[in-house]
Structure formats: structure tokens, C-alpha cells
Amino acid sequence: MQTKTTELPYNLAQWKQGYRSQKQEYNYQITEIEGQIPADLTGTLFRNGPGLLDINGESVRHPFDGDGMICRITIKDGKAHFLNRFIQTQAYVAEQAAGEFLYRGVFGTQKAGGWMSNAFDINLKNIANTQVVYWGGKLLALWEAAEPHRLDPKTLDTLGIEYLNNTLKPGDPFAAHPLFDPKQERMVNFGLKAGKFDRTGLLTGITIYELDLDGKVVEEHSHTIPGFAFIHDFAITPNYCIFFQNPVGFNPFPFLFGLKGAGECVKFQPEKPTKIIVIPRDPRSGEKIQTLETSSGFVFHHANAFEQDGKISIDSIAYATFPEVEPDKDFRDMNFSTLTPGQLWRFELDLKTQQVTSALVEPRCCEFPTINPANVGYPYRYVYMAAAQTLDGNAPLQSIIKLDRETDAKQLWTAAPTGYVNEPVFVPRPGGTQEDDGWLLAMTYDGLKDRSAVVILDAADLTKGVVATLWLTHHIPYGLHGSWTDDVFIDSL
Ligand code: CO
């Protein structure tokens, strides 16, 4: 019998199951493989995300507050191996020993004891749950409000807080969205710190870091911008770092008084413009920071930026409104129809006239954009994103979409109706000559089987379907970001 819910391409109850903790740490060869792993695909997919969404049945208020868990998928000689480990942050270790929440989460998770024990406790936990990158011989788990944690890539053992050869001081933030300039061979990242005031009000500090291939910090410069800034991601070109300062306000009092998490005190201000902050990468260039304005919207992620014909183009996923964290509501009880979709936009910045133009590129709800790493910061043609199966409105991410920015051609691969996808990661094919010559790797969750898998797609042609599905023996909760390295950290598969 046809019921109303079956008209949707997803099943909400099945989708919700993907937000259960995975407390088990596994280490095994993946034996259930549909299709064939390409023989020339060799390396390691690292992926981070909240692994622990409850302590003894007490749920986090928001998945962004879940403790970071790394998944490592090693691929070599047509075989694959899986390992997952929790990052042994100081807070994770302490809370596991105590069996209850001891720290406040940014997105509203409160420690036991009600508001009395939460008031004036701004000691947030560094949950290391957003991204993981292998750079300069170091594996780093990243969370934007604090320092990285360094892990052993062979075992995923936590080695401790990483200060980048004393560049960072205790508590210094290092964002979870480093970018890799392929021509300058640099990692570029930033740290954002609010808290200073002048006569205009709150100020936010932005520090830019550039690391060479050995992981050495070779550039560091700090800037101050007016106002509160909620900046998760940025974009680079050979000459600039570009930040979108979303029009949000922050009322700290419910947070300071222990009534709400910091993330719940962020209010979208649709009457105000989005500020686009353009910071020169070379602090000796003599060029000043520029601030441009565009119409309102909220951006978490950028796909790419590049300089061409005296302008900067930037492709970003924008929401008409900020999805505010609603107090006293379980995040699993999501009503997708009330949420605005994230959509891909092209912004063009003219630094001479300070004018910004914007145009909608893709109306379908999408997130987690990725491109060939060889094009980061440079003109590019193809973008890949996790996307909803439905054409209109917001919905769970069930598909992967490829857009050709030259011809506007689209390709779509879908895991609907029972599958849900995470961020795709582009892996270039060794010796490849075309921009889309490579694979897309993504973690998926099948709500019917209650198991996760890693799918390998041919980036040149998503319509061919899956090249290989690597079934895990269990589920992995929906995650955030991941990265690929050609290095392999186990001796034999
Ligand atoms: Co992100």
C-alpha cells in the first residue's frame, strides 16, 4: 500500500539511524566488495566526524558536539582495509572515565547539573571532530576553535596537541579547512579568535598560516576585522585569502549564564549584508585588506576561487537563512521541509570597483563541494558535491552531483532510496591528463541494511554507476570532512 512517506526518496526513520554513536573501534580487512577496486588506486582515505553522539544514553544536543572519530580506509592492490579510532582528547578521556558530560559543547550540549554548573564555564571541549589531513609527515585532526591533535597514521594513536613547532600557543585556533595551493606547494589555513573590543564593539582576529611541504610554518600574519565572525571555511587564490563574514549576531549572555550553547546564541541578521574579506597572502605586498559586500545569505563551504581578467571568482554553497540551532529539540527530529536548501552560487569580486555580482549555479540542495586538488585556487571546470535526491527544497544528502562549469552539463549518481552520502573526496588518477580523470570516494550509510560503505565512483562519468562498493560490517555515523593521501601506512593488505 502506498503511504505518504514512501513518496519521499528517503525514509526519515532510516535516516535517523545514521546518527547513532559508533563506540566500537574496528580493525579489519574489508572482504565484502561489490565491483572491483581499480588496480591503480593506491593510498589512504582519512575521514573525521562525530563518532560519539551520547554518553550512557544521554544525547549530545547537536552532532557537531560529538567527539571526533577517525576512519582510515587503506586501498592497495585491489584490496581494502578499515580502521577507526576515537581521538583521545583530554575531554574524551575524562568523560569516558566519568560516564557523563563534563564539558560544554559549542552547539548546546550541557554538562550534568543544569544551568548552575554550566554558568560561567566557557571551558569548551576541543573535540577534534571536523577534518583530518596528512601534511609534512604529520596526521592532524582538526577542529576550528582550538589546536590540532596529532595522530600516528600507522595506528591512529593520539600523540597529543600539535603546536606546529611552537607557532601555536595553547588555545590558539587552527581552522578545520586547510587548503593546499598545488603550484606554490603550500598548505594555507587560518585561525579565528573573537573577544577583543574597541569603541566600535566586538572585534575578530584572523591569523593566516602557510606551511611548506615539510610542515614548517613559513608565513604567519594577523589581522583584525570588526564585528562577530562565524567563519568555518575560506577560499584561496595565488594572491588572496577570501572569507565570507556571514551576517550573524551573537548574544553571549544565555551562553555565559549556562542556559544555552554558544552555537544556540548565533542569530541570523537577514537585513545586513554578507561581508567578503579579501586578505593578501603576501604580507609584504603592501596591499591592504579589502572588505566588499554582497546580499545576505549564509555560507559554510566554498568550492573554489580563482583570479581571472582582474576579478576574483568564487563558488560557494549559500543558504538563504542560517539554520539556527533550536533549543530543546532533538536534532534527529529534523523537518527538512522547513529548512532552506544550500545552493551553489558564483560570486564575482571586482577589487577595483568593490562591486560584487552573484548568480545561482545549481538550485538543487547540495553540500560538501570538492574539486581536483590540482585546481585549488586556479581556474577550474568540474565541481562535485553531495546532493539531495529531490530537486526542490532541503532533504537528506543521498546523491553525488558533478557540474561542468563550462558547459553546465550535470551528472548524478544516487544512493536513494535507502542510501545516504557523506562528503565526496576527489582522488586524481596517477598519470591522468584531464581534470576529471580520477575517482570520487565517499562514505555512505544504508538505512535498510544499517551498514556503512565506501563507494568508489569514476569522476569522469558518474552515470556509469559505482566502480566498487566496500561494505563495512557496521555503521559509521554521518561525518564531516576527509582527505586522501597516496601514502599507505600498513605493511601488507
Ligand atoms: Co566544513
Side-chain angles (χ1 to χ4, degrees), residues 233-287:
D233 190 12
F234 75 139
I236 56 169
T237 67
N239 294 301
Y240 301 103
C241 294
I242 302 131
F243 300 86
F244 277 38
Q245 188 180 8
N246 296 297
V248 291
F250 180 69
N251 172 8
F253 295 106
F255 170 66
L256 290 173
F257 285 102
L259 300 170
K260 286 182 175 182
E264 293 174 300
C265 301
V266 174
K267 280 275 169 255
F268 187 63
Q269 297 174 322
E271 72 286 358
K272 293 193 175 165
T274 293
K275 288 183 185 167
I276 302 177
I277 318 284
V278 182
I279 300 180
R281 282 177 57 186
D282 179 1
R284 293 163 297 278
S285 69
E287 262 190 271

Side-chain angles (χ1 to χ4, degrees), residues 130 176-177 232-233 300-301 368 481:
T130 311
H177 274 281
H232 172 70
D233 190 12
F300 284 106
H301 292 127
F368 299 121
H481 300 290

Side-chain angles (χ1 to χ4, degrees), residues 119-183:
F120 304 110
D121 180 357
I122 53 167
N123 186 18
L124 300 168
K125 73 198 242 200
N126 178 351
I127 46 174
N129 72 0
T130 311
Q131 172 61 300
V132 53
V133 292
Y134 185 66
W135 185 263
K138 291 176 179 174
L139 184 64
L140 303 176
L142 305 176
W143 182 62
E144 65 197 28
E147 319 93 322
H149 280 78
R150 184 174 173 191
L151 313 173
D152 181 341
K154 287 196 168 74
T155 57
L156 298 185
D157 284 344
T158 303
L159 302 175
I161 301 265
E162 172 64 35
Y163 293 102
L164 305 174
N165 306 319
N166 297 319
T167 299
L168 302 179
K169 290 178 280 304
D172 273 356
F174 192 71
H177 274 281
L179 291 164
F180 308 100
D181 183 321
K183 295 196 179 147

Side-chain angles (χ1 to χ4, degrees), residues 15-291:
W15 172 81
K16 278 161 84 164
Q17 292 185 93
Y19 270 131
R20 282 165 20 251
S21 296
Q22 178 52 271
K23 297 178 184 178
Q24 186 85 29
E25 296 183 318
Y26 295 91
N27 184 356
Y28 60 92
Q29 178 111 18
I30 300 173
T31 54
E32 206 179 315
I33 297 172
E34 286 169 24
Q36 259 196 332
I37 298 174
D40 48 354
L41 178 60
T42 303
T44 306
L45 177 70
F46 289 108
R47 183 262 203 190
N48 201 348
L52 193 74
L53 298 162
D54 74 285
I55 299 181
N56 288 329
E58 182 76 26
S59 176
V60 297
R61 188 77 71 83
H62 192 284
F64 292 172
D65 280 345
D67 290 279
M69 182 181 78
I70 306 295
C71 293
R72 185 191 75 185
I73 297 97
T74 307
I75 299 177
K76 195 183 175 188
D77 300 330
K79 297 182 198 161
H81 176 274
F82 178 84
L83 174 68
N84 71 307
R85 298 283 302 277
F86 279 93
I87 300 146
Q88 304 288 308
T89 65
Q90 184 256 329
Y92 172 81
V93 172
E95 289 186 336
Q96 287 300 296
E100 63 177 7
F101 290 111
L102 302 173
Y103 288 82
R104 302 181 64 187
V106 169
F107 289 90
T109 302
Q110 304 278 34
K111 58 187 189 181
W115 75 268
M116 279 292 282
S117 67
N118 286 290
F120 304 110
D121 180 357
I122 53 167
N123 186 18
L124 300 168
K125 73 198 242 200
N126 178 351
I127 46 174
N129 72 0
T130 311
Q131 172 61 300
V132 53
V133 292
Y134 185 66
W135 185 263
K138 291 176 179 174
L139 184 64
L140 303 176
L142 305 176
W143 182 62
E144 65 197 28
E147 319 93 322
H149 280 78
R150 184 174 173 191
L151 313 173
D152 181 341
K154 287 196 168 74
T155 57
L156 298 185
D157 284 344
T158 303
L159 302 175
I161 301 265
E162 172 64 35
Y163 293 102
L164 305 174
N165 306 319
N166 297 319
T167 299
L168 302 179
K169 290 178 280 304
D172 273 356
F174 192 71
H177 274 281
L179 291 164
F180 308 100
D181 183 321
K183 295 196 179 147
Q184 301 185 20
E185 298 188 316
R186 295 268 186 95
M187 175 210 263
V188 188
N189 199 13
F190 67 97
L192 203 68
K193 220 173 193 173
K196 284 190 182 155
F197 290 85
D198 72 359
R199 57 185 171 73
T200 64
L202 183 68
L203 304 171
T204 300
I206 300 180
T207 303
I208 312 276
Y209 302 96
E210 301 211 6
L211 284 70
D212 66 11
L213 286 175
D214 296 325
K216 191 171 162 244
V217 177
V218 290
E219 202 73 83
E220 180 189 357
H221 44 107
S222 296
H223 309 271
T224 303
I225 57 169
F228 171 76
F230 185 171
I231 300 173
H232 172 70
D233 190 12
F234 75 139
I236 56 169
T237 67
N239 294 301
Y240 301 103
C241 294
I242 302 131
F243 300 86
F244 277 38
Q245 188 180 8
N246 296 297
V248 291
F250 180 69
N251 172 8
F253 295 106
F255 170 66
L256 290 173
F257 285 102
L259 300 170
K260 286 182 175 182
E264 293 174 300
C265 301
V266 174
K267 280 275 169 255
F268 187 63
Q269 297 174 322
E271 72 286 358
K272 293 193 175 165
T274 293
K275 288 183 185 167
I276 302 177
I277 318 284
V278 182
I279 300 180
R281 282 177 57 186
D282 179 1
R284 293 163 297 278
S285 69
E287 262 190 271
K288 293 220 157 37
I289 295 191
Q290 297 199 50
T291 303

